[in-house]
Amino acid sequence: VTDQELIQRLQQGDRQAFRMLVSAYRDRVIRTCYGFVRDEEEARDLAQEVFTEVFLSVKHFRADASLSTWIYRISVNKSLDVIKRRNRKKRFAFLTGTSSMTPAEEYRLSETAGDPSRSLEQKQERDNMLKSLAKLPVNQRIAITLYYTDGLPQAEIASIMNTSVGAVESLLHRGKGNLRRIMNYEL
Amino acid sequence: MKKEIGNIEEWMGEIPVIGAGEDFYSGVEARINFRLAERQQFRNRVKSAGNILLIALAVALNTITIGLGYRYLQPDQEESVAEAQVLFYDPAQQQVASLLNQER
């Protein structure tokens, strides 16, 4: 089934086509969401929200971009919403004098994610980098996450972010520079 | 010592295998059904609010019409009363007629 056919069937409310779409894009969407929120449960939850949004708004999809680009766009927007909510919670926690991290973040940082043989220092470096990533301007963060986590080509990232390939290249370059600065500043 | 981010590819690409079984799709379906029900509920609310607004508007217009009729009609203007009886909406017509009778 081509994307065009799939879109047509989805626009007619065909649930079978929707099931096909979910199974085709599920893992990619979960991965993208995870790249932003770094929490498995939240990523799965977000991915379900993404597909819900896809089903409800596919009628208005005008095929200006490819189906996958559109789905990535929804995934990025939903993930950023979660991050914004998280930051609000953090600010509130800071004001009320409790931890500046959400419980999920504290758990994530304390767990021994990835390779168990990895040294503590490496884990600290990784955590430090992920924390620094959260401090980057939104556009740089989106570009870096889609590029390194999803391995998307710059052209596709440009399409998702509605910008040019040159701009993406520059976002990646500046993003890496800023990341390096933040990590060194916080040492 | 300067920190480098040479491992960015490795760290960023380090995604655990996140399992999502059959319950993933049923979760999506449940969310869709919930959102559709919510939308329907919202539409119903808007519809009934619209109806209430229309009734309120009709009552207000009726009241204004009665008020104007009472304010400008003179007791000796028999013709106007006859006209008013034609022009005014039923309940108002009753009220205007009785008010004019009282004045007379």
Side-chain angles (χ1 to χ4, degrees), chain B residues 73-75 77-86 96-97 100 104:
Chain B
L73 281 181
Q74 298 304 314
Q77 288 177 313
E78 296 294 331
E79 281 174 21
S80 304
V81 173
E83 254 174 56
Q85 279 174 344
V86 176
V96 172
L100 287 172
R104 245 183 258 133

Side-chain angles (χ1 to χ4, degrees), chain A residues 15 19 26 34 38 44-45 48-49 52-53 118 125-126 129 149 176 180 183-184 187, chain B residues 1-5 10-12 14-16 18-20 22 24-25 29 31-33 35:
Chain A
R15 295 255 176 159
R19 189 183 268 270
R26 186 185 61 196
Y34 183 86
R38 298 276 155 186
R44 215 178 281 125
D45 206 50
Q48 288 189 331
E49 267 302 307
T52 306
E53 190 67 42
R118 173 181 288 162
E125 267 184 48
R126 171 186 167 273
M129 197 211 69
T149 306
K176 279 174 82 170
R180 198 172 286 121
M183 285 171 76
N184 285 311
L187 265 183
Chain B
M1 188 185 80
K2 266 204 152 191
K3 275 272 171 216
E4 277 307 322
I5 55 164
E10 188 199 329
W11 288 330
M12 292 288 292
E14 192 180 77
I15 307 278
I18 305 173
E22 192 52 31
F24 181 85
Y25 184 75
E29 272 208 318
R31 279 167 200 255
I32 290 171
N33 293 337
R35 292 270 290 273

Side-chain angles (χ1 to χ4, degrees), chain A residues 86-102:
Chain A
R86 221 189 247 171
N87 288 343
R88 266 202 298 273
K89 258 189 212 167
K90 263 195 238 175
R91 274 197 293 273
F92 180 73
F94 176 75
L95 288 173
T96 53
T98 50
S99 165
S100 65
M101 276 189 279
T102 63

